[in-house]
Amino acid sequence: MRRFLRPGHDPARERLKRDLFQFNKTVEHGFPHQPSALGYSPSLRILAIGTRSGAVKLSWPRGGVLPSGAFPEHAPPSYGAPGVEFMGLHRENNAVVQIHFLPGQCQLVTLLDDNSLHLWSLKVKGGVSELQEDESFTLRGPPGAAPSATQITVVLPHSSRELLYLGTESGNVFVVQLPAFCTLEDRTISSDAVLQRLPEEARHRRVFEMVEALQEHPRDPNQILIGYSRGLIVIWDLQGSRVLCHFLSSQQLENVCWQRDGHLIVSCHSDGSYYQWPVSHDTQQPEPLRSCVPYGPFPCKAITKIFWLTTKQGLPFTIFQGGMPRASYGDRHCISVVHNGEQTAFDFTSRVIDFTVLVEAGPGAAFDDPYALVVLAEEELVVIDLKTAGWPPVQPPYLASLHCSAITCSHHISNIPLKLWERIIAAGSRQNTHFSTMDWPIDGGTSLAPAPPQRDLLLTGHEDGTVRFWDASGVCLRLLYKLSTVRVFLTDTDPSESLNAQGEDEWPPLRKVGSFDPYSDDPRLGIQKIFLCKYSGYLTVAGTAGQVLVLELNDEEAEHAVEQVEADLLQDQEGYRWKGHERLCARPGPVCFEPGFQPFVLVQCQPPAVVTSLALHSEWRLVAFGTSHGFGLFDHQQRRQVFVKCTLHPSDQLALEGPLSRVKSLKKSLRQSFRRIRRSRVSSRKRRPAGPPGEVPEGSTRAERAGLQNMELAPVQRKIEARSAEDSFTGFVRTLYFADTYLKDSSRHCPSLWAGTNGGTVYAFALRVPPAERRMDEPVRAEQAKEIQLMHRAPVVGILVLDGHSVPLPEPLEVAHDLSKSPDMQGSHQLLVVSEEQFKVFTLPKVSARLKLKLTALEGSRVRRVSAARFGSCRAEDYGEHHLAVLTNLGDIQVVSLPLLKPQVRYSCIRREDVSGIASCVFTKYGQGFYLISPSEFERFSLSTKWLVEPRCLVDSAETKNYSRPCNRSSPEKASGQASPYCLFPYRNSGSQSDGEERRSGPVMEHALLNDEKVLKEIQSTLEADRGSCGDWRSQRVAVGYSLGNGGAE
Amino acid sequence: MNRSFHKSQTLRFYDCSAVEVKSKFGAEFRRFSLDRQKPGKFEDFYKLVVHTHHISNTEVAIGYADVHGDLLPINNDDNFCKAVSSASPLLRVFIQRREEAEHCSFGAGSLSRRRRPLALREDGPRRRAHLHIGLPHDFRPVSSIIDVDILPETHRRVRLYRHGCQKPLGFYIRDGTSVRVAPQGLEKVPGIFISRMVPGGLAESTGLLAVDDEVLEVNGIEVAGKTLDQVTDMMIANSHNLIVTVKPANQRNNVVRCGRVSGSSGRSSDSTASRHSLPAAHVLQNLPTDEMESDEEPDVVLEGVLEPRLVPRPTPGSLARVNGAGLAPGLHSPGREGSVHRLLSSLRSDPRHSLALPPGGVEEHGPAVTL
């Protein structure tokens, strides 16, 4: 009978809420999960990637909750210049097999694995382009024909722009007229017709051959080349319906390339060979000019695709996929480039999906002059500069492979000072010297987005002990700098590296490219918590084996020893044995560190359990860290431990023995083995299933479904029991927080450290930090001042102190840097404790409860992430409010007001089953956030009306095409210093994504934009005003929010 | 009010074997001490008490205030021992003439209610005079059926009191389907059901909940549309004061309303019911009022460093305030007493083996359909 009582409907407040809060999923960062097809338009200079779903659909669907409950699995996102990107989603639940741009048009055709064709076009609406599906079509054969008769294997968009030639498994080539997809039956080139027109000696071939290749003559649109799988290639005259010439090879045909002038055909075959055939109409059946098995003489794997590209200099480029010696290198994913006596086999760490070569030549040019090789591998996009000697890779400005090593944690810092930003970029540019200086060659379209209003960093911690620094200011998530903590420790990686190096100089000339490397040398190196102070450049990272590193930004290379300290968190607890992993072994003596963040202190927790919370106070030079056993405080100025506190309940044997780490490692090993199985299954699958398509996946899903049904028979029941002090892992430290507040009496404030545990206990320590001039002489002292036991005993996930104006206390050094007004120390401070179940406000210094919001009791949802954020109003420029952004275990995002704890808005954001997505969520201090929608993609969302980062771009088919050579950059520094484009407003047709309580205003705005240019301009000017206000806003010294979610068990 | 308990609790740890006794008879106090380890026999204590108060010739009943503030009787060796050993540190003894004591019930809330009569809208102990129920005197309420007058007869709202009770709540819930009558015929809808009772647990010992009862509400919030995990979390979040509304699988033991008792009188004597039938204005209330103090145990705050380290124990001090009614509200109305007794006895006899459906039953417990 207690009903959820809506907060009183105050119209003014409701209006204000509309100005402050709005939910949008704005852009997906990272590399598409499970790409399956690549398309490139040389005229638009735009790249399209199609994705597929597979058996892993349940665990990693693409983000977004469609009202129908269907998940958009298969998007062909298109990418051009940085900031230019589109997303389209097929209604069907099938993988994209092929993508073809129609020549010279803003249209593309996709082939799905259910044999359906879809026509998409980029349409300009309201000044920006939008990708939308126009038509779809499934090829139907005559009644009674085998399904394979119409199973499409090859699609050839004809240069006439209105015909599509479709090669099928039956060997027939069907002709379809665009854009309506009318089948022109009289123009079908049946395999029988071709056979009849062949001379007698070529007809002994079996009739049933599938079409492997279709090519249009580079000069004469009336001739097409048809390659059949058994090795027959014919040139077909479309006007006369006759065979102009035919070529017979003894091997299975894989693919064909037609030289630009039309005089030479290069075919590649399943035995790893390629043949060159002269085209002359004099001889009907010419002999090959040359045949070659590049990696012979031992049996080789098939060459599945080949490019033969001419250059002005004379010598052609031969670029082909596969063909490696079967026995020793059959498992490599290689693309070989041969030119002018040089040969390199680019060795990818994941399966190559497809590749293409970018050429400078316009349609009428005499030579191809390739300049870049674009390879879509399963886990990353690699572009190789073919103009520069040595063929270096080009650093992609987008589609970054976030999951080079699995992401273990992330940390976001808003509004980075320019000085730090430049130093990080400088450190990063020295790491990127192996990249080409070529500008990003895929540069179609124009990004209309304004420059980013502020500099934001997203830090991701990885399983291999690295931390990657991403520029998260705009639409393109760009890697700035990579920090590795591995050098601090002794690992067994070094010998294997040298082994690899040995293998490099042998034949074949393999060269590893790409950054995807999923195998961690030592799982203990994994990064679990990150904390960066943007003012001082101090960084602290903590890992799986209880290691806490304190790092300092240094612009020079330096060699020094890392000071090691052990923190015994068990203290006097006797008789316990840690059964988890051992702690990492630090490298003794001085270590050489490259410019960038260099570690100077290593604290190792004992027992070496995973670090579960971390806090850094750069002004007091203190680092606090917590594990499942307790927490400690370290003074990194004097390099000594201040204190440790054991939080274990004496009866909690489980935590002492370290099953957490065992559980974790079991989970991890399971995950890894699943990954391996998946990968091997994927790589063993042929490019096309031999039988009718869809049969294999269908069978497997049926098996899975049966498995699920078996599981359903087990009754699922849940125990209803109150939490008790004796529960396991009550001592697990979930959150740590530094605050300068009134802890002991109301007249004097002092530094304090707060810690919250899994058992609902909050410890508060009063700290005495010596003044700056005696900082090195006197020790930092700490004394326990308070211990609060929440009676509901739910895990404490966040602690925050509000000043006299109920504003969260500023970050350390923020006031000193004049970026925030000083906190109000006159009024009484309040303590906010967020547990998984409740929000509670207490008075300080006498801790008595003032307010609370019982979330779980009301809704049955638990708090997973909480962070204070400042929400700016989209109307009044300087108006903003501080509130809590909350993510629950149901995937809902809520805003809870400060200090009155009133729920403001609620939106459903992540599916509740998507545990990894929920666990990976980070909030920014201005009401945005990120979460993983797949191992390789972050979805960016915004709760704020003011802070939105969204793609907004234009692709114009009529724009003058510039086929000029890409100019090399004058200096890498200049280019890396460029701000990446920043875009506003969503232009995607990915369906409705927010169905919260609040009516989404996005579609309304979109609608207005699409129809009314005046409105568009008005909004644009508002946005520009916003951007202008960014500077003002900083000088107004508005306090920014505090992140609370620094605990968080994984 | 609870602060005082914490402070006195800390004293408990001072090592002293003597227990200070403060004995009150009428307006007079007497103080003496007992040995905590060897309190002796009840008879001797009784003699000592009547002697110190100079009331040797009167028949008296002796009671004490336990740690929860409840007035519990001392009438045999066992509860005397318990009283002395649990004194913290002071043992407060109350002496009444036997005939007066007849009218005053022992039990939870009896003391504190007297102290805070307004907060709980109780009519005070005098109303209790009519209500002598033959329950054993040192019983503490563990559960009650509430809101009988406002719920459909097929539903039952059960309140479980976990305060001061070391027993686990002790039940499990599962997903299932229930069949409802819809305009277009029978309709299957997902529901949450009780799947298992832990032997000896609180839920089982009350006899008010049984396996396959459908859970409809948790502390006033409907569970329809919520997942098993959500309902689990809600129940655990409310575990200190859990009120579950169920549709019992066995519909034969439902409360039969014998005519409509005058609503106003029924309500006014029934603090629990009236509290919960209020439109829940304080569900979201953020004022430090009623709920903060009465609905829930307060958090324990320890100041400074305490050595030896105290393990903060749940301090179930506010039991009395919360559970003021003490007994099922239905019991307050004399007119209904019989039916409730009937209900209770039938439940005790066998709550779970008589699972026959009521005639023309509109609902059945479906098979377990799970995720």
Side-chain angles (χ1 to χ4, degrees):
Chain A
M1 151 177 26
R2 287 174 157 193
R3 303 222 182 280
F4 186 89
L5 194 76
R6 289 191 170 276
H9 264 280
D10 174 7
R13 180 68 198 160
E14 292 302 312
R15 218 175 305 124
L16 187 55
K17 270 158 73 171
R18 277 199 294 279
D19 293 347
L20 292 172
F21 314 116
Q22 171 195 358
F23 183 73
N24 283 301
K25 288 185 181 174
T26 56
V27 61
E28 287 169 17
H29 295 303
F31 185 74
H33 185 51
Q34 296 192 316
S36 57
L38 173 74
Y40 181 73
S41 165
S43 57
L44 301 175
R45 299 169 83 107
I46 278 184
L47 190 74
I49 295 175
T51 63
R52 73 178 160 88
S53 76
V56 287
K57 176 179 140 193
L58 283 173
S59 55
W60 289 111
R62 300 187 66 89
V65 181
L66 293 184
S68 64
F71 296 109
E73 306 290 338
H74 319 286
S78 304
Y79 301 89
V84 176
E85 56 179 85
F86 304 95
M87 174 78 87
L89 299 163
H90 287 104
R91 277 186 297 274
E92 293 79 2
N93 220 12
N94 295 83
V96 181
V97 178
Q98 293 181 30
I99 302 179
H100 298 274
F101 280 90
L102 302 188
Q105 280 175 297
C106 282
Q107 283 186 314
L108 59 151
V109 169
T110 56
L111 172 67
L112 304 194
D113 68 356
D114 65 350
N115 206 31
S116 63
L117 287 165
H118 301 257
L119 178 69
W120 299 76
S121 48
L122 284 164
K123 294 218 168 107
V124 180
K125 281 191 175 177
V128 292
S129 294
E130 189 183 333
L131 183 64
Q132 67 178 51
E133 187 176 344
D134 293 340
E135 207 68 56
S136 68
F137 167 73
T138 306
L139 187 63
R140 305 247 176 263
S148 68
T150 53
Q151 181 63 42
I152 299 168
T153 52
V154 200
V155 177
L156 170 68
H158 194 256
S159 61
S160 66
R161 299 182 176 187
E162 53 191 21
L163 292 180
L164 217 52
Y165 288 89
L166 308 172
T168 60
E169 282 193 355
S170 62
N172 298 334
V173 177
F174 293 90
V175 187
V176 165
Q177 192 164 30
L178 286 177
F181 283 117
C182 308
T183 317
L184 304 176
E185 280 180 20
D186 52 325
R187 294 221 212 161
T188 303
I189 309 162
S190 69
S191 52
D192 295 337
V194 172
L195 274 181
Q196 278 166 20
R197 285 163 179 82
L198 278 179
E200 200 66 41
E201 70 274 15
R203 280 192 215 165
H204 65 275
R205 302 269 162 166
R206 261 176 53 194
V207 178
F208 184 71
E209 283 181 314
M210 72 177 177
V211 179
E212 280 284 2
L214 274 179
Q215 298 255 317
E216 186 182 333
H217 190 285
R219 306 274 181 211
D220 180 2
N222 284 324
Q223 289 181 31
I224 63 166
L225 175 154
I226 308 171
Y228 296 96
S229 59
R230 295 235 161 191
L232 173 68
I233 303 166
V234 298
I235 295 178
W236 183 259
D237 181 5
L238 292 172
Q239 301 261 290
S241 290
R242 63 196 174 97
V243 174
L244 291 175
C245 49
H246 69 277
F247 314 91
L248 269 174
S249 73
S250 52
Q251 294 294 331
Q252 287 273 103
L253 181 75
E254 288 284 336
N255 215 326
V256 176
C257 181
W258 207 331
Q259 188 177 293
R260 177 159 281 269
D261 57 9
H263 296 321
L264 184 74
I265 287 169
V266 182
S267 63
C268 56
H269 300 273
S270 61
D271 64 339
S273 64
Y274 66 86
Y275 288 70
Q276 295 169 18
W277 311 85
V279 182
S280 69
H281 300 298
D282 311 334
T283 46
Q284 273 277 307
Q285 193 196 348
E287 286 303 306
L289 279 179
R290 186 171 155 249
S291 75
C292 167
V293 182
Y295 294 107
F298 298 112
C300 290
K301 297 198 82 171
I303 294 179
T304 51
K305 190 172 181 181
I306 192 160
F307 277 86
W308 178 273
L309 301 159
T310 53
T311 60
K312 281 193 199 74
Q313 285 78 19
L315 285 161
F317 270 93
T318 314
I319 300 172
F320 59 88
Q321 175 185 357
M324 301 307 285
R326 186 176 291 275
S328 14
Y329 297 97
D331 57 340
R332 302 293 182 101
H333 315 288
C334 289
I335 289 180
S336 306
V337 179
V338 187
H339 172 64
N340 198 10
E342 281 179 67
Q343 178 164 0
T344 301
F346 292 102
D347 183 9
F348 296 88
T349 50
S350 56
R351 196 169 63 98
V352 173
I353 304 291
D354 200 359
F355 74 102
T356 189
V357 182
L358 311 190
V359 297
E360 285 168 27
F367 298 101
D368 291 304
D369 287 319
Y371 62 92
L373 168 67
V374 178
V375 183
L376 176 69
E378 178 126 62
E379 307 289 356
E380 61 193 326
L381 182 78
V382 178
V383 174
I384 286 161
D385 175 5
L386 297 176
K387 279 283 167 195
T388 309
W391 300 326
V394 185
Q395 189 176 17
Y398 45 69
L399 289 172
S401 200
L402 292 170
H403 60 317
C404 303
S405 168
I407 294 179
T408 43
C409 64
S410 38
H411 177 67
H412 184 273
I413 312 108
S414 304
N415 211 5
I416 304 287
L418 184 62
K419 186 75 197 144
L420 178 71
W421 189 257
E422 284 170 347
R423 290 175 75 191
I424 290 173
I425 284 173
S429 66
R430 285 189 234 190
Q431 295 179 324
N432 293 337
T433 46
H434 64 286
F435 282 117
S436 160
T437 55
M438 177 193 269
D439 280 330
W440 183 245
I442 304 159
D443 54 359
T446 327
S447 176
L448 302 175
Q454 61 179 35
R455 291 166 295 272
D456 286 358
L457 265 184
L458 181 68
L459 271 54
T460 52
H462 297 263
E463 205 174 22
D464 62 353
T466 57
V467 177
R468 285 173 167 79
F469 288 62
W470 304 93
D471 172 3
S473 322
V475 176
C476 297
L477 197 66
R478 199 161 54 98
L479 181 66
L480 295 180
Y481 166 71
K482 181 178 126 183
L483 162 73
S484 176
T485 62
V486 180
R487 296 190 69 80
V488 180
F489 304 102
L490 281 174
T491 54
D492 47 357
T493 53
D494 308 311
S496 67
E497 267 173 19
S498 58
L499 261 175
N500 276 350
Q502 274 178 5
E504 295 286 288
D505 31 14
E506 287 171 12
W507 182 261
L510 290 172
R511 169 138 63 98
K512 281 243 180 268
V513 280
S515 54
F516 180 71
D517 176 19
Y519 300 107
S520 168
D521 304 315
D522 188 340
R524 293 177 298 168
L525 291 168
I527 305 293
Q528 298 293 335
K529 293 286 161 203
I530 307 172
F531 205 108
L532 171 70
C533 172
K534 62 185 178 187
Y535 303 108
S536 62
Y538 280 112
L539 170 72
T540 172
V541 296
T544 306
Q547 74 270 31
V548 179
L549 280 166
V550 189
L551 305 98
E552 199 174 15
L553 189 54
N554 185 350
D555 300 324
E556 302 300 324
E557 189 177 277
E559 184 164 356
H560 60 254
V562 176
E563 186 147 336
Q564 295 174 46
V565 183
E566 185 183 298
D568 180 15
L569 292 171
L570 286 184
Q571 287 174 292
D572 41 359
Q573 308 261 2
E574 289 292 323
Y576 298 120
R577 202 154 59 86
W578 170 254
K579 291 181 187 162
H581 49 229
E582 283 177 31
R583 72 173 194 194
L584 283 162
C585 214
R587 198 182 287 272
V591 184
C592 185
F593 295 103
E594 59 179 12
F597 287 94
Q598 297 172 348
F600 60 95
V601 167
L602 166 66
V603 181
Q604 289 191 290
C605 298
Q606 197 58 39
V610 53
V611 176
T612 55
S613 56
L614 187 67
L616 170 76
H617 200 292
S618 43
E619 197 171 351
W620 303 333
R621 308 284 163 108
L622 297 173
V623 174
F625 48 90
T627 71
S628 49
H629 301 93
F631 60 97
L633 182 66
F634 187 82
D635 173 2
H636 68 79
Q637 180 86 9
Q638 293 185 26
R639 308 202 176 171
R640 57 180 275 286
Q641 183 176 295
V642 180
F643 75 91
V644 291
K645 164 96 183 163
C646 181
T647 53
L648 279 183
H649 192 273
S651 68
D652 193 357
Q653 277 289 336
L654 275 174
L656 288 160
E657 291 174 352
L660 249 198
S661 54
R662 269 188 311 193
V663 167
K664 198 140 182 133
S665 64
L666 175 69
K667 210 165 79 185
K668 191 174 288 172
S669 64
L670 273 177
R671 194 174 66 206
Q672 279 172 349
S673 48
F674 271 122
R675 229 186 253 162
R676 253 170 235 141
I677 290 168
R678 197 174 73 212
R679 193 166 298 126
S680 63
R681 201 186 285 152
V682 161
S683 51
S684 67
R685 203 180 290 167
K686 284 281 284 178
R687 187 162 54 114
R688 279 185 298 266
E695 192 180 81
V696 174
E698 221 167 75
S700 67
T701 49
R702 204 176 301 136
E704 270 154 33
R705 221 173 288 139
L708 277 175
Q709 268 160 5
N710 285 341
M711 276 161 67
E712 280 168 11
L713 294 179
V716 176
Q717 50 177 6
R718 296 278 183 270
K719 188 176 184 178
I720 307 299
E721 210 49 78
R723 292 190 179 85
S724 86
E726 280 79 35
D727 286 351
S728 287
F729 304 118
T730 50
F732 192 117
V733 179
R734 293 287 296 264
T735 182
L736 288 163
Y737 177 65
F738 284 109
D740 185 6
T741 188
Y742 300 93
L743 179 59
K744 292 166 105 178
D745 60 66
S746 49
S747 53
R748 274 179 307 129
H749 57 96
C750 66
S752 62
L753 171 67
W754 299 78
T757 71
N758 226 24
T761 314
V762 175
Y763 300 94
F765 280 77
L767 309 178
R768 214 180 57 79
V769 184
E773 61 275 16
R774 296 196 301 276
R775 184 63 180 79
M776 285 306 282
D777 310 328
E778 295 175 20
V780 175
R781 293 190 193 284
E783 161 185 45
Q784 182 168 343
K786 297 233 180 339
E787 182 176 327
I788 306 164
Q789 174 62 56
L790 301 176
M791 286 324 290
H792 62 285
R793 295 186 182 278
V796 177
V797 292
I799 299 173
L800 182 69
V801 172
L802 308 176
D803 73 4
H805 293 123
S806 298
V807 172
L809 294 184
E811 277 177 83
L813 292 176
E814 199 172 0
V815 176
H817 282 70
D818 245 16
L819 292 165
S820 164
K821 65 176 174 190
S822 0
D824 177 66
M825 299 308 261
Q826 306 306 318
S828 59
H829 282 196
Q830 295 175 72
L831 170 71
L832 169 71
V833 177
V834 183
S835 76
E836 282 192 357
E837 292 184 354
Q838 297 186 4
F839 298 78
K840 253 181 153 163
V841 170
F842 298 90
T843 57
L844 282 176
K846 187 175 180 299
V847 178
S848 58
R850 279 199 59 212
L851 301 168
K852 73 175 159 188
L853 171 64
K854 292 164 77 175
L855 190 74
T856 311
L858 287 170
E859 298 176 10
S861 56
R862 291 201 308 263
V863 179
R864 278 279 175 269
R865 281 279 182 278
V866 61
S867 174
R870 183 175 195 275
F871 292 90
S873 165
C874 60
R875 275 174 202 277
E877 213 156 90
D878 50 353
Y879 184 76
E881 296 180 3
H882 289 274
H883 294 302
L884 293 175
V886 179
L887 173 74
T888 69
N889 64 333
L890 305 180
D892 289 346
I893 291 195
Q894 306 199 13
V895 175
V896 173
S897 75
L898 284 178
L900 291 176
L901 303 180
K902 299 229 189 269
Q904 301 292 303
V905 287
R906 178 166 63 183
Y907 311 100
S908 60
C909 177
I910 313 177
R911 288 178 316 115
R912 66 177 61 165
E913 297 83 14
D914 185 1
V915 179
S916 327
I918 292 172
S920 64
C921 179
V922 283
F923 287 109
T924 78
K925 280 168 190 168
Y926 299 96
Q928 295 192 45
F930 301 85
Y931 67 92
L932 288 172
I933 50 175
S934 75
S936 56
E937 290 164 288
F938 271 117
E939 174 82 59
R940 187 181 192 125
F941 62 88
S942 174
L943 286 167
S944 165
T945 51
K946 194 165 174 174
W947 304 97
L948 281 169
V949 174
E950 291 183 304
R952 174 174 162 77
C953 35
L954 180 66
V955 173
D956 188 2
S957 58
E959 86 185 86
T960 331
K961 293 292 166 278
N962 181 8
Y963 290 110
S964 70
R965 293 168 62 142
C967 49
N968 282 15
R969 301 198 294 249
S970 51
S971 77
E973 278 78 17
K974 185 195 133 209
S976 53
Q978 287 168 353
S980 70
Y982 172 79
C983 307
L984 290 142
F985 286 116
Y987 281 95
R988 321 188 317 179
N989 46 352
S990 50
S992 145
Q993 285 169 324
S994 63
D995 45 322
E997 298 177 335
E998 289 292 292
R999 168 133 174 69
R1000 183 186 170 200
S1001 57
V1004 179
M1005 287 175 92
E1006 217 167 302
H1007 187 71
L1009 278 168
L1010 299 179
N1011 293 317
D1012 193 344
E1013 219 166 275
K1014 223 164 76 186
V1015 179
L1016 169 73
K1017 277 183 188 146
E1018 197 175 296
I1019 292 172
Q1020 233 166 355
S1021 66
T1022 326
L1023 288 163
E1024 270 149 26
D1026 265 4
R1027 225 176 348 131
S1029 79
C1030 173
D1032 308 347
W1033 153 84
R1034 211 187 297 157
S1035 60
Q1036 277 158 13
R1037 301 189 197 168
V1038 180
V1040 294
Y1042 250 77
S1043 172
L1044 284 169
N1046 53 352
E1050 300 302 310
Chain B
M1 156 205 156
N2 275 285
R3 294 285 135 69
S4 64
F5 277 127
H6 310 317
K7 275 171 195 145
S8 58
Q9 265 188 339
T10 63
L11 293 171
R12 207 157 29 128
F13 289 82
Y14 290 151
D15 188 64
C16 74
S17 60
V19 175
E20 191 187 349
V21 182
K22 184 178 175 187
S23 172
K24 186 181 180 227
F25 175 69
E28 285 180 46
F29 289 102
R30 296 285 185 277
R31 286 171 184 275
F32 54 92
S33 68
L34 290 168
D35 192 313
R36 189 186 291 273
Q37 268 73 41
K38 281 175 277 178
K41 292 237 175 279
F42 168 70
E43 260 174 59
D44 304 330
F45 175 69
Y46 185 86
K47 280 179 193 147
L48 177 67
V49 167
V50 294
H51 174 75
T52 42
H53 280 280
H54 307 292
I55 44 171
S56 312
N57 49 351
T58 30
E59 284 279 286
V60 293
I62 303 177
Y64 74 102
D66 79 342
V67 283
H68 311 303
D70 298 339
L71 181 60
L72 298 179
I74 300 180
N75 48 22
N76 57 38
D77 287 351
D78 285 345
N79 53 25
F80 172 57
C81 266
K82 174 80 179 157
V84 173
S85 60
S86 67
S88 59
L90 183 74
L91 176 63
R92 290 191 295 155
V93 170
F94 298 89
I95 298 157
Q96 288 170 295
R97 286 196 172 80
R98 180 63 41 97
E99 54 271 27
E100 284 171 14
E102 288 294 302
H103 300 296
C104 183
S105 59
F106 287 113
S110 42
L111 264 186
S112 50
R113 196 179 325 111
R114 200 176 308 158
R115 259 181 276 135
R116 305 173 53 228
L118 287 175
L120 283 142
R121 285 162 274 174
E122 272 289 323
D123 290 2
R126 263 160 295 140
R127 272 197 68 92
R128 280 278 157 127
H130 314 292
L131 266 185
H132 177 70
I133 293 167
L135 289 173
H137 276 292
D138 47 356
F139 265 26
R140 184 192 300 284
V142 291
S143 63
S144 53
I145 300 181
I146 57 174
D147 297 342
V148 184
D149 49 347
I150 55 167
L151 283 177
E153 285 178 13
T154 50
H155 295 183
R156 183 186 299 158
R157 185 166 291 165
V158 176
R159 182 172 196 167
L160 299 177
Y161 301 85
R162 220 181 55 82
H163 294 277
C165 168
Q166 295 307 310
K167 273 185 190 166
L169 281 171
F171 65 101
Y172 290 71
I173 56 172
R174 63 166 169 87
D175 278 315
T177 48
S178 81
V179 180
R180 287 182 207 289
V181 183
Q184 61 274 36
L186 292 181
E187 187 185 53
K188 280 189 175 177
V189 289
I192 304 286
F193 295 85
I194 293 177
S195 63
R196 190 155 89 85
M197 294 292 207
V198 177
L202 183 59
E204 193 210 31
S205 65
T206 66
L208 300 177
L209 298 174
V211 171
D212 290 334
D213 286 359
E214 184 182 357
V215 177
L216 302 172
E217 287 179 357
V218 176
N219 286 55
I221 313 266
E222 281 181 31
V223 304
K226 292 200 160 56
T227 62
L228 183 64
D229 287 331
Q230 270 177 286
V231 178
T232 308
D233 286 338
M234 285 167 69
M235 287 190 172
I236 290 174
N238 286 305
S239 59
H240 53 88
N241 174 30
L242 183 61
I243 301 167
V244 218
T245 309
V246 293
K247 188 164 197 180
N250 177 3
Q251 289 279 333
R252 291 206 305 198
N253 296 321
N254 292 340
V255 177
V256 182
R257 282 192 210 135
C258 355
R260 189 84 190 157
V261 186
S262 147
S264 61
S265 75
R267 289 260 185 119
S268 64
S269 67
D270 180 355
S271 66
T272 343
S274 56
R275 254 183 70 82
H276 288 276
S277 54
L278 283 175
H282 39 234
V283 171
L284 271 184
Q285 97 289 52
N286 286 313
L287 302 167
T289 52
D290 212 3
E291 194 200 25
M292 203 61 146
E293 286 184 304
S294 62
D295 183 357
E296 187 181 306
E297 303 164 300
D299 305 320
V300 177
V301 181
L302 299 176
E303 303 274 343
V305 197
L306 297 162
E307 292 295 340
R309 186 171 172 268
L310 279 179
V311 182
R313 256 171 41 86
T315 318
S318 54
L319 161 78
R321 289 167 298 152
V322 191
N323 308 330
L327 290 166
L331 300 186
H332 292 288
S333 152
R336 251 189 267 161
E337 206 172 326
S339 72
V340 174
H341 272 298
R342 213 164 53 229
L343 166 72
L344 287 175
S345 56
S346 66
L347 280 175
R348 283 219 189 83
S349 66
D350 195 355
R352 270 165 300 149
H353 295 288
S354 46
L355 289 174
L357 286 168
V362 290
E363 176 190 333
E364 62 183 32
H365 61 279
V369 174
T370 49
L371 293 170

